[in-house]
Amino acid sequence: METIIGKVKNYVFHNEENSYSIARITNEDDDLITIVGYFPIVSEDIMYEFTGSWVKHNSYGDQFKVESFKKCEEQSASGLISYLSSSFFHGIGPKTAEKIVNHLGNDAIKIILKDKKVLKEIGLTAIRIEKFHQQLIENQTNEHILVALYGYNLSGKLAMKLLSKYQMLTLEKLEENPYRLIDDIEGIGFIKADEIAAKLSIPKDDLRRIKAAIIYAMQYIAYQNGDVYLTKEQVENYAASVLGEGQELSVAVEALIEEKRIIIEDDRFYLALSYFTEISLAEKVLELTQSSEVIYDMNYLETLLDAVEIQKNMQYTLVQKEAILKALSSPISIITGGPGTGKTTIIDGLLEVYRIYNKLNYKNPLIYEKIALMAPTGRAAKRMKELLDMDAKTIHRHLGYSYDGLFTYDEFHLMPQDLLIIDEASMIDLFLAKKLFSAIKPGAQVIIVGDVDQLPSVGPGQVLADLIDSKVITTVRLNEIHRQAKDSKIISLARAVNDQDLSVDDLNSDQDVYLYRANADKIKEVIIKQVQGALNEGYSMVDDIQILAPMYKGDLGIDNFNKILQEEFNKNRSVSMKYGDKTYYVGDKVIQLVNDPERLIMNGDIGIVKDIKTNSQDDQYMVVTFDENDVMYDKGDLDELNLAYAISIHKSQGSEYKIVMIPMVRSYMHMLKKELIYTAITRAKRFLIMLGDMNLLVYAANHLSEKRQTTLALRLNHTIDSDIEEEDPLDDLSPYDYM
């Protein structure tokens, strides 16, 4: 770390929300230096010490990245006069400021803070003295707080978040219990809070620390494994891995139970939010299943289905007809099956029968007050729209998710639709399911569609699997591969993996599957050649070609593939924008990593960098196009993006690509499970290319993921009946936002 001393000459850019700033300062030698970082508007007349490091900007050259700052101990008389007469202090002009400094000297601020009555000697009225004194305290306090926060090794960005949250009470709140920051401040987890606690000399066996570690361990497992509850042994083991061996947990657990942050039910340990969410979801699903049977003339439905067959020039199988008729005559139903089993064909026919029966006009925009088609991701909703020729949206958009994290539709404001079709349901986690089902009106029909054999949701729970396992919902499982899909090696390979019926003898290339046995270095070379060949054939890098891998790090990880492919296939280097260790160029394929409903983009959306520009303040920004939606990203937004020439298999869920390439190497082994590789294979629509050690494919097919620890199915079939004495105290909280 280096320190430079200077005065702020001007601000090039300042973000009011997070205090990300670009400013120019003049140092003691009168050199002009650009500084960047998270710091508030400071006086342009006071000397400051800025601590940080030098970075090189592609367009603007050397810049000093500020990590912390403080006011210099010694200030010049002219600087003090300018500072005291600045906009920070209303009612103090240059003449009054000059009087103050001439009378009290360069220590004027310290003297006034110690005894404001000295200002009477300058001739200020009591009201002006009081106002000036309060403004001086506030200004000094903010800078004092920030300097103290930097001492806890907090970045400027996190320090500004704390100051914005707690204001004048920042240090008091932090020192009272640093572990509260975990819940209150995004970006601070147990490890950072624990570092602060150590600086405050909080003992390792402090009850606050042990409680925070238990909650952290349980939340971490919810993210990593998708479990809704843990056993006592798991809680102890995971907490010990955070705290170290030898810490007594029982007192902390009792305190967390008393505070209703942990619920224990039949020796299962739940976070309160997970517990009440699961119960609420179960109650709502049961309410829907117990709605009055939809009154349909079944003979007429069958007649209409026959007519739709003729209209669409196709022949439904008995199972497909059963699925359509059961779905239309049930308040809630599930249709599940793998690729090639006809899920989309069934929904298309079902919608047509529903339209004719209810005399609806699909061209009338009001139809969407009657029918809602939805999927968890933007790409899945887009594919649904293309296949069914009806508008489809993400679940978040149907619920009216707003930029402030609130939903238009909830249990108090129900969605108006009579028929809801939910596709790619395997991706829906416990919390999103609760939000969705809570907003469905009584009497509405719900049809849930998905492949239960795919990866479960990123977030906690396995909602689709639990709904099926409960046996309380009408379910049709599709097993038959239909004629048009029977010749696909992609589908037969996926079926063999899913059935755990894959052997070395099956590892042969075919018309749409190419299996390359190659070492790690050769894999990269072959992928580059295959991508180039596909581009030469007219395939699109953005829409048609996707490399999938299970890991980000390593020589054959997602990050390295992105660098290699960017370098090889995007030669547009005239302008760039750098963030961390990533550099973006016009034409790059990128993926959105978080939900941003204000700008109509969601986690998993893939776009292309359309332009990189500078605004009137010489600040760079990037324009990314997502399906004709142009979105602007400034420097502070780039943590929401990543390159997307290669993406994770989890991120690919809900999408299909004409060409999918999957490396298979031993460094992936700990992640290679049947569900993961099955999901990856089923993303390929036209060609699947797998490269590496093909024996790993057989290995993956014979290793199942650990079954998630959930109790939704048990609550639905009343194997567990919970005795709740009060409403969920955390009903408005939802820290999970995966979709």
Side-chain angles (χ1 to χ4, degrees):
M1 289 284 185
E2 294 183 47
T3 298
I4 58 175
I5 296 174
K7 284 183 183 180
V8 173
K9 186 174 187 293
N10 68 294
Y11 278 78
V12 175
F13 172 79
H14 179 73
N15 185 322
E16 288 290 343
E17 290 185 10
N18 62 13
S19 290
Y20 180 77
S21 302
I22 302 173
R24 293 192 177 97
I25 68 167
T26 52
N27 67 7
E28 294 160 304
D29 298 326
D30 220 26
D31 297 325
L32 195 62
I33 298 170
T34 300
I35 61 172
V36 298
Y38 294 88
F39 49 88
I41 297 288
V42 298
S43 170
E44 297 180 4
D45 302 295
I46 293 286
M47 297 292 285
Y48 288 92
E49 287 183 18
F50 298 96
T51 301
S53 56
W54 289 97
V55 294
K56 193 167 190 69
H57 190 282
N58 287 340
S59 302
Y60 303 112
D62 291 335
Q63 298 179 336
F64 191 77
K65 185 178 179 183
V66 175
E67 294 295 336
S68 64
F69 74 97
K70 66 178 180 180
K71 197 179 294 173
C72 289
E73 291 295 325
E74 292 188 13
Q75 301 287 341
S76 67
S78 60
L80 271 177
I81 291 168
S82 297
Y83 174 58
L84 295 176
S85 59
S86 70
S87 59
F88 287 101
F89 307 102
H90 303 297
I92 304 294
K95 287 185 178 178
T96 304
E98 188 174 357
K99 276 186 187 179
I100 292 171
V101 174
N102 286 343
H103 185 70
L104 300 175
N106 287 5
D107 288 332
I109 292 173
K110 287 182 181 177
I111 295 169
I112 296 166
L113 288 172
K114 189 174 182 180
D115 182 11
K116 62 187 175 186
K117 293 176 184 174
V118 296
L119 291 170
K120 287 183 179 178
E121 299 164 15
I122 312 299
L124 297 185
T125 64
I127 293 175
R128 286 182 74 189
I129 288 172
E130 189 60 38
K131 189 175 182 181
F132 176 52
H133 186 247
Q134 287 302 316
Q135 290 170 338
L136 199 58
I137 289 172
E138 186 176 330
N139 213 37
Q140 297 293 303
T141 299
N142 283 351
E143 290 190 12
H144 167 72
I145 290 170
L146 286 172
V147 170
L149 293 177
Y150 299 142
Y152 290 116
N153 202 27
L154 290 173
S155 68
K157 186 176 186 177
L158 284 177
M160 289 305 303
K161 280 186 179 180
L162 262 72
L163 186 58
S164 174
K165 173 74 175 178
Y166 300 130
Q167 304 289 321
M168 303 281 277
L169 297 175
T170 297
L171 294 180
E172 182 183 326
K173 295 283 187 185
L174 180 142
E175 291 166 4
E176 174 191 298
N177 183 6
Y179 296 104
R180 75 183 301 151
L181 306 184
I182 299 169
D183 294 326
D184 291 354
I185 308 296
E186 185 182 354
I188 293 185
F190 177 83
I191 294 170
K192 177 58 73 176
D194 210 33
E195 287 176 8
I196 297 170
K199 288 179 182 290
L200 290 167
S201 299
I202 291 176
K204 295 289 187 184
D205 61 353
D206 188 280
L207 182 62
R208 293 168 296 178
R209 180 173 187 263
I210 297 173
K211 283 163 58 180
I214 292 169
I215 294 295
Y216 167 74
M218 293 181 73
Q219 288 176 337
Y220 180 78
I221 296 305
Y223 277 93
Q224 291 295 107
N225 296 349
D227 292 330
V228 174
Y229 71 86
L230 299 179
T231 65
K232 182 180 181 183
E233 183 182 11
Q234 287 172 325
V235 172
E236 290 172 348
N237 289 341
Y238 295 135
S241 70
V242 176
L243 292 165
E245 297 291 340
Q247 296 288 4
E248 173 57 45
L249 302 182
S250 58
V251 175
V253 169
E254 287 300 321
L256 290 168
I257 294 168
E258 184 70 24
E259 294 165 14
K260 294 184 171 55
R261 298 180 71 191
I262 285 180
I263 307 292
I264 299 180
E265 179 184 74
D266 297 335
D267 298 323
R268 294 183 298 270
F269 285 62
Y270 299 81
L271 291 168
L273 180 61
S274 303
Y275 179 77
F276 287 108
T277 299
E278 191 179 72
I279 288 173
S280 177
L281 175 59
E283 288 177 343
K284 181 65 184 194
V285 169
L286 287 172
E287 180 187 312
L288 289 170
T289 63
Q290 291 158 8
S291 296
S292 302
E293 285 291 315
V294 184
I295 307 302
Y296 275 103
D297 181 333
M298 296 306 294
N299 291 329
Y300 183 37
L301 275 185
E302 290 177 14
T303 301
L304 290 180
L305 188 51
D306 291 339
V308 168
E309 269 189 311
I310 296 168
Q311 174 193 322
K312 293 185 176 289
N313 191 28
M314 67 175 304
Q315 187 173 356
Y316 296 116
T317 67
L318 290 176
V319 174
Q320 287 178 320
K321 286 185 175 182
E322 177 195 5
I324 292 171
L325 295 172
K326 278 189 173 181
L328 285 172
S329 58
S330 303
I332 179 169
S333 59
I334 296 171
I335 300 170
T336 185
T341 56
K343 296 189 298 294
T344 303
T345 300
I346 288 169
I347 298 306
D348 181 52
L350 182 152
L351 281 168
E352 187 63 15
V353 172
Y354 185 86
R355 179 189 71 79
I356 299 169
Y357 192 99
N358 291 285
K359 300 180 175 60
L360 301 175
N361 178 5
Y362 280 3
K363 301 301 178 186
N364 186 337
L366 293 177
I367 190 70
Y368 298 109
E369 293 293 306
K370 294 283 187 182
I371 299 173
L373 305 184
M374 62 184 76
T377 67
R379 288 182 73 84
K382 181 184 177 186
R383 190 160 59 90
M384 196 180 187
K385 180 178 180 179
E386 289 168 352
L387 292 171
L388 297 172
D389 195 28
M390 280 188 70
D391 192 29
K393 297 176 183 174
T394 64
I395 294 171
H396 282 84
R397 288 195 66 188
H398 265 296
L399 291 172
Y401 185 53
S402 63
Y403 69 92
D404 55 5
L406 301 177
F407 292 85
T408 302
Y409 294 110
D410 54 24
E411 57 265 47
F412 307 110
H413 305 89
L414 303 176
M415 291 186 289
Q417 289 86 2
D418 298 319
L419 176 67
L420 296 94
I421 300 177
I422 306 157
D423 200 9
E424 295 290 352
S426 63
M427 299 175 65
I428 302 173
D429 68 63
L430 180 69
F431 299 99
L432 183 60
K434 188 258 184 183
K435 287 289 184 188
L436 171 59
F437 280 87
S438 293
I440 297 174
K441 70 180 185 181
Q445 279 184 271
V446 181
I447 300 171
I448 302 165
V449 184
D451 185 350
V452 74
D453 296 317
Q454 280 188 32
L455 285 168
S457 57
V458 176
Q462 47 183 20
V463 174
L464 179 60
D466 283 348
L467 293 178
I468 293 170
D469 290 347
S470 73
K471 296 183 169 53
V472 300
I473 297 175
T474 299
T475 299
V476 177
R477 186 183 285 270
L478 308 171
N479 290 310
E480 183 182 350
I481 303 295
H482 290 282
R483 186 178 60 220
Q484 63 270 31
K486 278 182 177 174
D487 294 334
S488 169
K489 174 75 172 180
I490 295 171
I491 289 176
S492 62
L493 181 64
R495 170 67 68 94
V497 168
N498 196 39
D499 292 344
Q500 296 186 279
D501 189 28
L502 186 71
S503 69
V504 176
D505 295 336
D506 298 315
L507 301 179
N508 301 308
S509 298
D510 208 327
Q511 56 187 2
D512 56 359
V513 172
Y514 300 89
L515 305 178
Y516 286 89
R517 290 168 173 82
N519 60 32
D521 290 335
K522 189 71 172 173
I523 287 172
K524 288 183 276 190
E525 180 187 323
V526 173
I527 283 181
I528 288 170
K529 285 182 179 177
Q530 290 294 321
V531 171
Q532 186 61 64
L535 293 173
N536 293 343
E537 290 292 321
Y539 288 99
S540 161
M541 178 69 87
V542 174
D543 296 321
D544 301 331
I545 306 167
Q546 191 60 61
I547 287 82
L548 300 180
M551 292 170 53
Y552 281 88
K553 302 304 176 187
D555 187 47
L556 289 176
I558 293 164
D559 290 340
N560 201 38
F561 268 122
N562 275 322
K563 285 181 182 177
I564 293 167
L565 293 165
Q566 180 192 51
E567 187 174 333
E568 188 69 30
F569 296 107
N570 189 357
K571 303 299 184 183
N572 189 353
R573 302 301 172 97
S574 58
V575 61
S576 65
M577 193 165 174
K578 191 171 177 63
Y579 182 80
D581 61 349
K582 294 182 179 68
T583 303
Y584 296 95
Y585 304 98
V586 173
D588 271 334
K589 181 178 181 179
V590 294
I591 185 168
Q592 174 75 9
L593 301 177
V594 297
N595 287 338
D596 191 342
E598 186 178 17
R599 301 193 290 183
L600 301 178
I601 44 173
M602 303 298 276
N603 187 351
D605 286 351
I606 287 180
I608 187 167
V609 177
K610 181 179 180 181
D611 212 343
I612 296 174
K613 299 180 178 181
T614 54
N615 60 23
S616 57
Q617 288 82 36
D618 288 333
D619 185 44
Q620 270 194 315
Y621 66 93
M622 191 160 80
V623 179
V624 179
T625 299
F626 296 92
D627 295 327
E628 300 181 359
N629 174 27
D630 285 356
V631 179
M632 191 182 82
Y633 292 81
D634 63 28
K635 200 84 161 182
D637 296 325
L638 290 186
D639 59 347
E640 297 182 1
L641 277 183
N642 197 12
L643 291 169
Y645 300 99
I647 63 173
S648 72
I649 296 166
H650 276 95
K651 289 287 185 190
S652 74
Q653 275 187 277
S655 301
E656 282 185 348
Y657 309 92
K658 290 177 181 175
I659 301 172
V660 167
M661 302 183 196
I662 308 169
M664 296 289 289
V665 293
R666 290 194 172 272
S667 59
Y668 297 167
M669 273 189 73
H670 68 287
M671 298 188 72
L672 292 179
K673 308 291 184 187
K674 184 198 84 169
E675 296 84 355
L676 185 86
I677 204 68
Y678 172 74
T679 300
I681 290 170
T682 55
R683 300 309 91 207
K685 190 174 180 182
R686 191 171 294 176
F687 296 107
L688 172 69
I689 301 169
M690 305 189 79
L691 313 97
D693 184 349
M694 291 304 109
N695 291 326
L696 291 175
L697 190 53
V698 179
Y699 170 86
N702 287 287
H703 283 77
L704 297 174
S705 298
E706 291 286 329
K707 188 169 173 60
R708 292 185 171 187
Q709 294 176 180
T710 68
T711 38
L712 177 61
L714 300 178
R715 296 189 195 286
L716 287 167
N717 59 34
H718 298 297
T719 304
I720 299 174
D721 283 313
S722 305
D723 183 21
I724 306 174
E725 296 180 358
E726 57 183 289
E727 293 298 314
D728 174 3
L730 303 173
D731 190 52
D732 294 330
L733 299 178
S734 183
Y736 303 97
D737 186 19
Y738 299 97
M739 307 316 301

